Amino acid sequence: MQAGGLTATELFCRRGDRFLFGSLSLRAAPGDALHLVGPNGTGKTSLLRLLAGLLLPTPPSGAIEWQGTCGYLDGRPTLDEHLPLSEALAFWTRLDRAAEVPLERLGLAALTDIPVRYLSTGQRKRAGLARLIGQGADHWLLDEPLNGLDREGAALVEALIAEKRAAGGAVVVASHQPLALPSAQVLDLRKFLPSPAGRGRGWGNDVSAEPPPQPLPAGEGLS
Amino acid sequence: MSTFLTLLRRDCAQLLLGGRRGGALLPVLFFLAVAMLYPFAVGPDAPLLARTGGGVIWVAALLAAILPLDRLIEPDLELGLFDQFALRGISEEGVVAVRVLAHWLSFGPPLMLAALPASALVGIDGAQLRLIEWGLLAGTPGLAALGVLVAAITAGLRGGAALGGLLVIPLAVPLLVFGAGSLSAGGEAGLALTGAVSLVLLAITPFAGAAAIKSSRG
């Protein structure tokens, strides 16, 4: 369907005074899945937000090219907390006017009258998935989509991803939990730590190495 | 176009009706409470009340506009709403402009209505009341814009709500000076100046507020 998918070249990312990754290039053709792995704090969420256009790449370079629209799901369902689930979803439906939301399949059909703030963690995740599906975007960026979901829910997410890929979408997933993504590329962010030369403090190629404790300069207290 | 109507509908439902967060009623009650307390504090001196009552109504309107500040931008930022808008190519400028309109609808016209009983409470006559109403019509859009702007700047800060209130007060001084000044003899030109300040704030807010929201994304 869509030619191209996602191409990102020469991305650098700095958060505060920490360089997270550098010179990262990736490509996801339609139907591809990309599984981001790496310990906490290596920049999986930052990379997803970069790809979504919510963060700007740190200079000197970086280009991200999408063909088609892109949906993003993180830990928040992004639904109005005090509204019943059906009304909270209806806002996005009116805005997107795109796909039908399979509430039954997501296990939400019985919950439509319940305000979003009363939903459990797993139900909120399912509600977020409902919003994502309703957007009808061509490609998906998923940040820890399995968090809080039961085994059945995890299988559902895997099935949804497989269907999205079959329909010609590219899916980028950051997940610590094992996730069945057939023939997915695995991108380990530890491989993209900036070289120790020049950038940052104490960043080697060994991710387990802590930066050596810096002695406090005279006159500067603990913050 | 229908995107912005959808946004306006949601914003009005949030701000005007308020869900469980107070809505438009709270600022109006606060405004009336100030107008009611003032005669108690000053005493039954009708000429004094009539002379100073207009200024009190303006101060009460300004303070009432500060009340909903913490729910203008912050909750939506936490919800991730602006991220989702950005993904859909809905500009922050447009979202902020719609928010200003919804915020004004939720407190401008209600305050203008509440000014009728409030002016009766402090014994203001018909001519003064007309000036107050015109002044509020010219000034409340500026207050709405200022509120949204400051809410956008302080969203995500620790103690942002309290800080926001403090920031609005000095920035609202021109509106107060011209708005309340229009009530004194020969001060009618103050109405035009109030309107001018409002227009400047309305013109700046969508861009400055959008810049604040974008930068809070980090």
Side-chain angles (χ1 to χ4, degrees):
Chain A
M1 279 162 96
Q2 306 87 16
L6 161 71
T7 317
T9 42
E10 292 284 302
L11 296 180
F12 289 84
C13 179
R14 192 184 70 182
R15 304 292 287 149
D17 57 356
R18 268 188 356 139
F19 282 89
L20 290 177
F21 51 80
S23 198
L24 187 156
S25 299
L26 58 86
R27 185 173 152 62
D32 273 2
L34 193 62
H35 189 177
L36 305 180
V37 294
N40 294 136
T42 41
K44 295 186 295 299
T45 295
S46 296
L47 177 56
L48 282 177
R49 291 179 67 80
L50 269 175
L51 295 176
L54 300 172
L55 281 180
L56 291 177
T58 304
S61 58
I64 297 162
E65 204 177 314
W66 281 103
Q67 284 181 350
T69 55
C70 157
Y72 174 69
L73 178 68
D74 57 12
R76 305 166 293 186
T78 312
L79 295 166
D80 285 319
E81 297 277 323
H82 64 280
L83 290 181
L85 179 61
S86 57
E87 283 179 40
L89 284 171
F91 167 69
W92 292 109
T93 313
R94 279 195 295 273
L95 212 56
D96 294 324
R97 289 181 298 268
E100 196 68 27
V101 182
L103 287 175
E104 195 74 53
R105 188 173 170 205
L106 288 165
L108 296 171
L111 302 172
T112 49
D113 293 335
I114 301 192
V116 175
R117 66 172 183 283
Y118 292 140
L119 297 182
S120 75
T121 312
Q123 288 168 340
R124 293 167 73 84
K125 200 75 192 184
R126 287 164 186 262
L129 283 166
R131 194 212 69 225
L132 178 74
I133 294 169
Q135 187 186 349
D138 299 324
H139 310 292
W140 281 355
L141 298 170
L142 309 175
D143 195 353
E144 301 289 350
L146 302 188
N147 269 8
L149 286 178
D150 52 20
R151 198 170 299 169
E152 206 181 304
L156 179 65
V157 170
E158 286 166 359
L160 289 169
I161 292 175
E163 284 165 27
K164 177 53 71 181
R165 293 172 67 188
V171 180
V172 184
V173 190
S175 180
H176 286 292
Q177 279 133 354
L179 182 67
L181 292 171
S183 66
Q185 312 171 46
V186 175
L187 188 76
D188 190 336
L189 284 176
R190 278 177 295 191
K191 292 187 192 139
F192 295 93
L193 289 174
S195 65
R199 304 176 166 279
R201 329 166 281 188
W203 281 85
N205 284 321
D206 179 7
V207 74
S208 63
E210 289 286 323
Q214 302 275 327
L216 283 174
E220 195 180 304
L222 289 169
S223 56
Chain B
M1 194 62 219
S2 75
T3 300
F4 289 106
L5 283 180
T6 307
L7 291 180
L8 184 64
R9 192 169 142 188
R10 174 182 177 275
D11 286 357
C12 283
Q14 298 258 332
L15 294 172
L16 205 57
L17 310 173
R20 294 163 66 97
R21 291 188 289 181
L25 198 61
L26 209 58
V28 169
L29 289 179
F30 176 82
F31 174 81
L32 283 174
V34 172
M36 198 183 69
L37 287 174
Y38 182 64
F40 284 122
V42 174
D45 181 351
L48 177 70
L49 280 177
R51 204 169 63 245
T52 54
V56 170
I57 285 181
W58 263 95
V59 172
L62 199 162
L63 294 179
I66 291 176
L67 282 184
L69 217 59
D70 59 330
R71 57 198 177 90
L72 285 178
I73 300 288
E74 166 99 42
D76 286 358
L77 204 62
E78 265 172 33
L79 219 54
L81 211 71
F82 289 100
D83 290 350
Q84 293 294 337
F85 289 155
L87 277 166
R88 288 162 172 78
I90 303 171
S91 70
E92 283 85 357
E93 285 83 358
V95 178
V96 171
V98 169
R99 191 64 48 98
V100 171
L101 178 59
H103 178 37
W104 181 76
L105 285 173
S106 77
F107 90 94
L111 277 195
M112 289 171 67
L113 272 180
L116 299 174
S119 58
L121 283 168
V122 293
I124 288 174
D125 62 26
Q128 285 276 68
L129 176 60
R130 207 161 45 240
L131 276 178
I132 289 178
E133 292 290 358
W134 280 115
L136 286 178
L137 183 63
T140 46
L143 283 179
L146 190 58
V148 171
L149 175 58
V150 168
I153 289 170
T154 56
L157 296 182
R158 242 181 326 155
L163 186 63
L166 284 178
L167 276 174
V168 165
I169 289 171
L171 292 170
V173 163
L175 283 169
L176 188 68
V177 168
F178 296 134
S182 69
L183 300 173
S184 57
E188 286 80 2
L191 284 181
L193 286 167
T194 310
V197 174
S198 275
L199 286 177
V200 169
L201 287 169
L202 285 173
I204 293 174
T205 294
F207 303 103
I213 289 168
K214 281 179 204 158
S215 74
S216 72
R217 205 175 274 148

